Amino acid sequence: MVALDFGAVLVQWPALLRGAAFTLGLTAVSAVLGGIVGVACGWARAWGPPWLARLVGVYVELIRNTPFIVQLFFIFFGLPSLGVKLTPELASVIAMVVNLGAYAAEIVRAGIENTPRGQLEAARSLAMNELQVFTRVVLPPALGRVWPAMVSQIVIVMLGSAVCGQIAAQELSYAANLIASRNFRGFESYLIATAIYLGLAIFIRQLLNWAGPRFIFGRVATR
Amino acid sequence: MKSRRPFLMAALVALSALPMLAHAQAALDEIMSKKVINIAIPTDFPPYGYVGTDLKPQGLDIDMANYIGTKLGVKVELVPVTSANRIAYLQTKKADLVISTLGKNPDREKVIDFTAAYSPFFQAVFASKGLPIKSAADLAGKTVGVTRGAIEDLELTKIAPPTADIKRFEDNNATVSAFVSGQVQVIATGASVAGNMMARNPALGTEYKFVLKDSPNFIGVAKGEDKLRLKVNEIIAQAKASGDLDKMATKWLGRPAGDLPN
């Protein structure tokens, strides 16, 4: 039995803290931008013109049927061949936004398509234009309906950001890897990283469950 | 008569030891009489030794093996080995020499003998010719790719200025990809990885900048084969003086052999 030495890892707490903060920041930016992409694409697929719906469909299927790490490597290692050079941080954000956007699009579309017909007819009979109907009558209750799924997807993307360390983005698992490669305390490093990820996931879930009804879609009856 | 006895004993002991001695020193004579030398070389370690597209071994170690064969005037039989079994090949006489990026350390010195060093192995910093880098201080403000946890990572971390942006990648492939795609300006890696990368991407104009850690390669000979060892040392010393070692190192590693230990 190997003696465990958590002190050797915990002494590196500034690196772990920086990594956790980086992961959180990466997730926050990606969630906001990815959410916007998701709503736009969800609208396009449910209500948009057929050509746009089909285009978005291609995007959604392409992203949802390929591994995240391949998307990330394509952006970081592949795009420079086309003259697009991105920092690891920017490449990570783009990969996460593109990824979350595709999943969020399907989640939002499900919410939009479940809008009761009567609600739409009522809105139109009040002489609202299509934009007003979408932003005031359709979208808020739609988001309310799919919010739990949306929160889960954001947490999944946060956990998925662990692979961004592979392109030297200095997030939490990058910090854990670095510590483990320096003091060979792999078990302790990854156990601590796991605990931090768990804490982050619970925090994000609670925060979004609290913030959603208050700031994103208002207090709506979801059923 | 009595006084001659110890002399006789000594002569007897000396005589009985002779075949052993002759055997221990026989490798060179055997090579010269058979006109063949068996040399263990790597085939999995570019640019020191690898199998080319024509399925023939090539690399610095293979060039060195052929060089020694030419100087001895004998035919070279190349024996492919891995880093795990190369010393065993020497001990079991399957090879007369091991030219296989062999580093010298006290544990190995207990079981085999080493000639002078013939080629450098080193971790170094490489970058494009246009980038003026002469020492660690010049890395300030530059992005440097390195494989996390490798010797070069530890050395680089020690000497790099705080403003150098060190990007650590998971393995050599990712590090090389990052450099080749231009995501990092500078790469710190082993001579083997860099040599291979430069050979495959000549358009990048990558060149050697400065060394992080030196661990030169030696030729291994079986324990006690001093005649062979001294002969090979002689060849190495001549090659060093004539610049042939430098030529070989420049061809495969992109830098001269430099000052190698004897």
Side-chain angles (χ1 to χ4, degrees):
Chain A
M1 184 68 196
V2 182
L4 296 181
D5 182 7
F6 285 96
V9 175
L10 289 172
V11 81
Q12 306 275 354
W13 65 268
L16 287 169
L17 199 65
R18 264 201 307 274
F22 192 95
T23 293
L24 206 54
L26 210 56
T27 309
V29 175
S30 310
V32 171
L33 298 179
I36 293 170
V37 171
V39 168
C41 291
W43 169 82
R45 264 200 119 174
W47 280 28
W51 65 269
L52 188 61
R54 196 158 305 146
L55 195 69
V56 170
V58 169
Y59 155 66
V60 167
E61 293 309 318
L62 189 69
I63 296 302
R64 297 211 315 167
N65 292 303
T66 52
F68 177 64
I69 192 164
V70 173
Q71 298 161 9
L72 182 69
F73 278 12
F74 175 78
I75 291 171
F76 189 72
F77 292 123
L79 286 188
S81 323
L82 305 176
V84 184
K85 280 186 197 167
L86 304 164
T87 63
E89 294 76 24
L90 196 56
S92 302
V93 167
I94 292 175
M96 287 168 73
V97 167
V98 167
N99 189 274
L100 179 60
Y103 282 93
E106 285 299 271
I107 294 171
V108 172
R109 182 172 74 128
I112 293 171
E113 286 180 347
N114 273 312
T115 304
R117 185 166 286 276
Q119 210 165 319
L120 281 178
E121 285 165 356
R124 287 189 179 124
S125 68
L126 287 171
M128 290 172 122
N129 65 31
E130 283 299 293
L131 185 69
Q132 286 171 322
V133 171
F134 183 73
T135 56
R136 301 193 184 176
V137 178
V138 175
L139 190 60
L143 282 179
R145 278 192 291 272
V146 298
W147 194 243
M150 196 72 157
V151 171
S152 284
Q153 195 57 47
I154 290 170
V155 169
I156 288 171
V157 164
M158 186 276 284
L159 297 176
S161 76
V163 302
C164 296
Q166 304 276 333
I167 59 164
Q170 307 190 356
E171 42 76 52
L172 180 54
S173 59
Y174 178 89
N177 275 334
L178 189 60
I179 292 169
S181 74
R182 287 287 193 273
N183 61 14
F184 303 106
R185 291 280 169 194
F187 183 82
E188 293 91 329
S189 298
Y190 297 124
L191 197 65
I192 290 171
T194 304
I196 298 176
Y197 271 116
L198 183 65
L200 285 180
I202 292 171
F203 169 71
I204 290 174
R205 220 175 265 279
Q206 298 286 342
L207 180 76
L208 290 178
N209 282 340
W210 174 82
R214 283 169 184 78
F215 306 112
I216 312 288
F217 48 85
R219 288 181 184 281
V220 290
T222 51
R223 53 181 84 215
Chain B
M1 287 297 264
K2 233 178 181 179
S3 61
R4 282 173 76 178
R5 245 199 179 148
F7 175 76
L8 210 77
M9 281 294 280
L12 246 157
V13 168
L15 251 160
S16 62
L18 210 67
M20 245 173 77
L21 211 74
H23 177 73
Q25 297 279 355
L28 184 61
D29 300 334
E30 212 171 292
I31 290 162
M32 299 315 287
S33 67
K34 283 189 185 164
K35 294 273 169 211
V36 169
I37 184 167
N38 293 311
I39 301 182
I41 47 99
T43 52
D44 56 352
F45 205 64
Y48 289 91
Y50 59 102
V51 179
T53 43
D54 55 356
L55 297 179
K56 285 198 184 102
Q58 52 178 298
L60 192 151
D61 287 347
I62 286 86
D63 278 7
M64 189 67 200
N66 289 326
Y67 185 85
I68 288 176
T70 312
K71 290 288 168 183
L72 288 172
V74 299
K75 190 172 169 294
V76 176
E77 285 287 348
L78 297 175
V79 186
V81 292
T82 66
S83 35
N85 69 15
R86 54 197 169 166
I87 288 176
Y89 265 71
L90 206 52
Q91 289 173 313
T92 55
K93 312 261 175 207
K94 287 192 176 70
D96 301 308
L97 296 176
V98 169
I99 306 183
S100 185
T101 53
L102 193 60
K104 187 150 93 173
N105 69 36
D107 282 337
R108 287 176 182 165
E109 275 179 298
K110 281 181 203 151
V111 289
I112 60 169
D113 284 341
F114 289 93
T115 68
Y118 68 97
S119 77
F121 187 74
F122 53 91
Q123 280 77 33
V125 168
F126 301 82
S128 134
K129 289 194 176 78
L131 217 55
I133 295 173
K134 289 195 174 60
S135 68
D138 297 330
L139 294 178
K142 302 207 166 53
T143 51
V144 188
V146 68
T147 302
R148 176 168 52 70
I151 294 171
E152 54 268 24
D153 179 14
L154 305 179
E155 294 295 322
L156 186 70
T157 309
K158 269 187 238 159
I159 61 167
T163 55
D165 186 7
I166 302 177
K167 305 250 183 252
R168 296 182 178 83
F169 295 91
E170 197 63 23
D171 56 26
N172 284 337
N173 283 339
T175 311
V176 167
S177 300
F179 179 75
V180 170
S181 63
Q183 296 285 23
V184 293
Q185 297 167 282
V186 180
I187 182 169
T189 190
S192 159
V193 171
N196 196 19
M197 179 191 79
M198 290 191 275
R200 287 195 195 168
N201 302 283
L204 289 177
T206 312
E207 66 171 10
Y208 160 82
K209 295 296 188 185
F210 66 89
V211 74
L212 289 168
K213 190 175 175 67
D214 254 313
S215 46
N217 300 314
F218 297 80
I219 297 176
V221 296
K223 196 89 194 153
E225 292 285 2
D226 291 336
K227 242 165 108 182
L228 177 62
R229 186 170 61 86
L230 293 173
K231 182 71 196 166
V232 172
N233 269 348
E234 207 176 286
I235 295 171
I236 292 174
Q238 280 166 6
K240 207 186 272 184
S242 68
D244 286 344
L245 281 189
D246 280 336
K247 255 184 244 163
M248 254 184 262
T250 308
K251 176 181 170 194
W252 294 104
L253 307 173
R255 79 158 214 191
D259 199 15
L260 293 169
N262 283 315

